[in-house]
Amino acid sequence: MKNIKLLWTIIILLLAFSGFLVNKFISGNVTPSEDGRTNVVLTKDERNLVLSEMRAFLVSVQGVSQAITENDMVKVAQLAHKAGMAAEENTPGSLLQKLPLGMKKLGFGTRNKFDEISTTAKTTKTTKDTTVLRKQLDTLMLNCIACHAIYRLPEPK
Ligand code: HEC
């Protein structure tokens, strides 16, 4: 009897703990922001890493856009690939944990869209019609706008 009670206690504790982990995974490390957005609370180093990735995003969008204008499909494919999922390789898991699920979705969604642009550029090497790529880049940038409208990264005190 005693053993069964102990077993149940362990089961309940494990369930509570896994519930806590799932909740953490979904909500991330957040607080409300005074400007109506959601603060994602990171350490100084984590924040610096995300912001440097952001500046790299802007460089990538400019580079891909210019390469589309110049009709240089090899360059489009290269730059877009660099900004795609390949860039996530070095993101620490401890940082990902702190991002709310919605932010992770928008972030990975943006990476995937860069990969799609890279694929399109590879398969449309010969065509002069860049409208498809332009549209893909337009849609990708809606992700930048959406995420910035919802989340901010407060400077650690
Ligand atoms: C998953 C969410 C997300 C996506 C997607 C996203 N950003 Fe950001 N970005 C942020 C957050 C959060 C900040 C910090 C904003 C704040 O604190 O007000 C930021 C900041 C920036 C900054 C300022 C960097 C600095 O040094 O202060 C730039 C530039 C930027 N983003 C560009 C982009 C571009 C370009 C894209 C799309 C290709 C993009 N971002 C997509 C979340 C995102």
Side-chain angles (χ1 to χ4, degrees):
M1 252 340 236
K2 236 185 180 175
N3 278 346
I4 291 179
K5 251 190 184 168
L6 186 67
L7 203 62
W8 272 114
T9 313
I10 291 171
I11 289 172
I12 287 165
L13 281 177
L14 279 177
L15 278 177
F17 184 62
S18 58
F20 168 77
L21 285 183
V22 168
N23 190 38
K24 264 265 164 232
F25 179 78
I26 293 173
S27 58
N29 203 16
V30 297
T31 60
S33 163
E34 277 173 10
D35 65 3
R37 293 185 291 171
T38 299
N39 282 325
V40 180
V41 183
L42 304 176
T43 65
K44 199 169 121 235
D45 288 346
E46 289 166 341
R47 179 174 181 270
N48 282 340
L49 177 69
V50 174
L51 290 179
S52 74
E53 283 182 348
M54 288 300 148
R55 296 190 297 276
F57 256 163
L58 186 54
V59 171
S60 300
V61 168
Q62 193 280 336
V64 169
S65 176
Q66 188 172 334
I68 294 174
T69 307
E70 290 166 359
N71 215 337
D72 186 343
M73 292 300 123
V74 175
K75 202 163 159 194
V76 173
Q78 269 173 2
L79 292 177
H81 173 75
K82 224 178 104 196
M85 280 311 279
E88 280 301 324
E89 238 174 37
N90 302 318
T91 309
S94 53
L95 165 58
L96 282 179
Q97 255 176 32
K98 293 185 183 173
L99 309 181
L101 186 60
M103 188 171 174
K104 279 194 276 258
K105 274 190 183 162
L106 279 167
F108 289 135
T110 310
R111 297 280 187 214
N112 283 326
K113 285 189 193 328
F114 271 116
D115 284 333
E116 284 167 20
I117 289 178
S118 179
T119 307
T120 306
K122 275 183 205 146
T123 52
T124 56
K125 248 180 245 162
T126 50
T127 174
K128 285 265 171 210
D129 182 13
T130 51
T131 317
V132 176
L133 283 165
R134 280 269 159 241
K135 278 189 182 153
Q136 281 180 305
L137 193 61
D138 291 346
T139 315
L140 180 150
M141 288 184 82
L142 293 178
N143 271 35
C144 320
I145 295 168
C147 199
H148 296 153
I150 307 171
Y151 303 106
R152 66 185 290 265
L153 301 174
E155 217 166 330
K157 280 169 205 134

